[in-house]
Amino acid sequence: RLIEADAKAQGLRSSASLSPGESDWSVKEQGVLFGLLDTSGIGVSLTPSMIMQPLKSLSLIIGRGRNPLGVEDASNCDFCSIKDRCAHRKRRAA
């Protein structure tokens, strides 16, 4: 929400966020993100099985721009393959 608010303050739009391993986006794509970024300065590394270390790390992509970007005003839950039976989603909606 912070990124979304910042984009809005700059007159930009933002898309929903998605992370490798969510929905149909394979966790194997984590390697693509790490190939684009130097994460050594923040102490995050990628194992051969594409798991980030430390384990509580998170990567995601959010589009920002002046034109509409995919699905706006959505959350990653909207794209999740288990959204109909997810206990976390039910707690969030309450």
Side-chain angles (χ1 to χ4, degrees), residues 1-8 12-20 22 25 33 37 58-65 67-76 79:
R1 293 186 186 196
L2 179 64
I3 294 170
E4 188 177 304
D6 183 58
K8 193 175 220 176
L12 301 173
R13 301 170 89 146
S14 59
S15 70
S17 66
L18 283 177
S19 298
E22 289 182 336
W25 192 9
L33 295 181
L37 304 168
L58 173 70
S59 65
L60 56 90
I61 290 186
I62 299 175
R64 287 175 49 142
N67 298 317
L69 297 163
V71 178
E72 299 177 18
D73 299 321
S75 76
N76 53 350
F79 304 99

Side-chain angles (χ1 to χ4, degrees), residues 22-53:
E22 289 182 336
S23 190
D24 290 330
W25 192 9
S26 173
V27 74
K28 293 176 185 176
E29 297 297 318
Q30 192 77 267
V32 174
L33 295 181
F34 273 71
L36 296 170
L37 304 168
D38 177 11
T39 60
S40 62
I42 59 171
V44 177
S45 61
L46 194 60
T47 70
S49 59
M50 302 298 149
I51 303 299
M52 288 186 288
Q53 294 289 333

